[in-house]
Amino acid sequence: MVFTDDSSAEVPLTLNAEAKVTEDNGSEQGPNQFETGLDRDEVANMAKLVAELAKEWSDRTFAVKILRGLCALTLESPDRLEPAPDSRHWGFTVLEIGEALDRLGIGGAQLLGSDAQQSMKRNWRKLMELWEREAPTIAQRLSARKVSLRPTLFREIGGGSGNPSRFGFRFLRCEGVANQQIPSINWLDVPDISYRQADISGNRLIRWLSDRGLYLSGRTGKAYLSVTYALFVAGVFVLWLLFVALTHAPTTLDFLKIFVSGAVILTVGYFFFGWQARLVTNRITLAPVLLQPFASSRNDYLLELRPDQETERNSLYMVRYVGDCPICGVKGHDKVHIEPGRREFFGRLVGRCNRAPNEHVFSFDHVTRQGRFLR
């Protein structure tokens, strides 16, 4: 049985983007299938939930009123949406929808006048656009109430005054929804997270350094330490100059100018060179923005000092770690990335979940590659 044609703008609503429907030859392609035998109570419950949801939408256009009218008619006569060979016995006419709106007290005059058909045509197109936009919201509401039916808006175009166009829902069945339950989380016993090395930067220079290791000993180590000490001495000297200048500032305005200039200099210096101090102190730090790959969607590459047991030296690597959030538990949407600890975990690197970066926060140990739930 074929339920749609090119003239009926139908928007399927499923939880699974890859869900298929049953073909005419009866070969099932996926977990969802068109319903040919409907449960009146289930259809009525679906219509009630969709109508409740439509009341909550901020959209107050006439298209939403039409949807509420369809839901009211479905709640009254769910058998009218039972698939039948004769389309004249299926769905609801424009006149019936207008009368339903009057009974609801939300105004159905547009569907009762002489321009009713044109008004319905315009607003049906708007309703289809609204339905497509709100499809995930409707699916979530039905899943939360364990309703496995998935409604799709449907229009059966008539052939004249004796056979008017009819409007209503067709239904898909989403298997297994009735058994779905929202997992209960024991926040005092959230499992630890395991991190894994995802990749190394694709930058040629960084890749060369990562593959071979940058040994911080001998001449290389002395050069690195010389630059670090030089920057430290320069910072102390700038602070001393600022102190002297501030104490000899003739006016308050000169004082403020010197203070602001010094603050800018120190901020810029810390932005460009502060990562060196953090790397030496913590043996791992977030790579500066200038070293982050431009093609990466996240600035989560880390500079890490790793001991080389054979040479007894430290090697510098630029790597990225990820983990699977033990709270979300949905593949592809639950990755935990390493980010700064911000004010709450100042000076630390923590793992933050894609879905809830402020709530699903984990510690990060680059040696054991383990972490525990922080909040």
Side-chain angles (χ1 to χ4, degrees), residues 11-281:
V11 180
L13 175 61
T14 64
L15 283 176
N16 188 347
E18 299 178 353
K20 306 297 183 182
V21 299
T22 303
E23 294 181 330
D24 293 344
N25 59 10
S27 60
E28 185 175 328
Q29 295 181 332
N32 295 342
Q33 58 183 351
F34 276 119
E35 280 296 286
T36 56
L38 299 178
D39 185 311
R40 289 171 54 93
D41 294 336
E42 191 173 19
V43 172
N45 187 29
M46 178 280 304
K48 180 180 178 181
L49 293 176
V50 173
E52 291 177 354
L53 186 60
K55 292 180 182 180
E56 300 174 3
W57 292 341
S58 59
D59 196 315
R60 292 292 184 266
T61 59
F62 192 72
V64 178
K65 295 182 180 180
I66 292 177
L67 177 60
R68 293 178 59 186
L70 280 176
C71 291
L73 291 171
T74 302
L75 189 60
E76 296 172 2
S77 305
D79 56 311
R80 293 278 295 274
L81 298 181
E82 182 77 30
D86 189 351
S87 60
R88 291 177 297 178
H89 300 294
W90 178 89
F92 308 99
T93 65
V94 175
L95 178 60
E96 290 174 322
I97 298 175
E99 293 174 346
L101 294 182
D102 273 351
R103 292 196 298 272
L104 291 174
I106 56 178
Q110 292 190 38
L111 302 183
L112 296 176
S114 58
D115 193 35
Q117 296 296 333
Q118 292 300 322
S119 176
M120 186 64 175
K121 184 177 181 180
R122 292 193 307 270
N123 286 284
W124 184 259
R125 187 181 302 110
K126 297 178 181 179
L127 178 56
M128 296 299 295
E129 295 175 356
L130 174 65
W131 184 273
E132 184 176 7
R133 184 175 73 247
E134 296 289 354
T137 305
I138 299 172
Q140 291 175 13
R141 174 64 64 91
L142 295 177
S143 295
R145 301 294 182 87
K146 297 183 174 59
V147 177
S148 59
L149 284 184
R150 292 294 173 267
T152 66
L153 289 176
F154 192 84
R155 177 182 61 178
E156 186 74 41
I157 296 181
S161 58
N163 184 24
S165 297
R166 293 174 174 271
F167 304 84
F169 300 102
R170 292 296 195 198
F171 302 97
L172 293 169
R173 168 95 40 199
C174 187
E175 301 295 343
V177 173
N179 296 325
Q180 293 180 357
Q181 294 183 354
I182 299 176
S184 177
I185 301 297
N186 182 1
W187 296 103
L188 298 179
D189 190 25
V190 176
D192 292 342
I193 184 175
S194 297
Y195 296 97
R196 57 186 180 276
Q197 181 174 305
D199 54 68
I200 297 177
S201 171
N203 182 282
R204 292 184 179 181
L205 174 61
I206 297 299
R207 184 188 302 174
W208 184 84
L209 294 174
S210 299
D211 291 341
R212 292 162 177 77
L214 178 62
Y215 297 119
L216 298 181
S217 62
R219 295 182 179 179
T220 304
K222 292 178 181 178
Y224 180 85
L225 292 177
S226 298
V227 173
T228 303
Y229 286 137
L231 292 173
F232 175 77
V233 172
V236 174
F237 181 69
V238 170
L239 289 176
W240 179 78
L241 288 179
L242 288 174
F243 178 77
V244 173
L246 289 174
T247 56
H248 293 80
T251 64
T252 303
L253 182 60
D254 293 333
F255 179 90
L256 291 176
K257 288 181 179 180
I258 297 173
F259 179 80
V260 172
S261 300
V264 170
I265 293 174
L266 293 177
T267 301
V268 173
Y270 182 81
F271 176 79
F272 282 100
F273 305 109
W275 61 270
Q276 297 187 22
R278 295 192 297 271
L279 177 62
V280 174
T281 303

Side-chain angles (χ1 to χ4, degrees), residues 305-346:
L305 286 175
R306 296 180 181 177
D308 191 320
Q309 301 297 336
E310 295 182 359
T311 60
E312 297 183 354
R313 301 173 179 176
N314 289 324
S315 300
L316 179 64
Y317 289 87
M318 186 171 178
V319 297
R320 186 166 65 92
Y321 292 97
V322 297
D324 297 324
C325 181
I327 299 175
C328 295
V330 180
K331 291 185 177 180
H333 300 283
D334 63 346
K335 291 295 182 291
V336 174
H337 296 267
I338 308 303
E339 297 182 9
R342 303 174 187 171
R343 181 184 302 176
E344 184 177 6
F345 305 104
F346 184 76

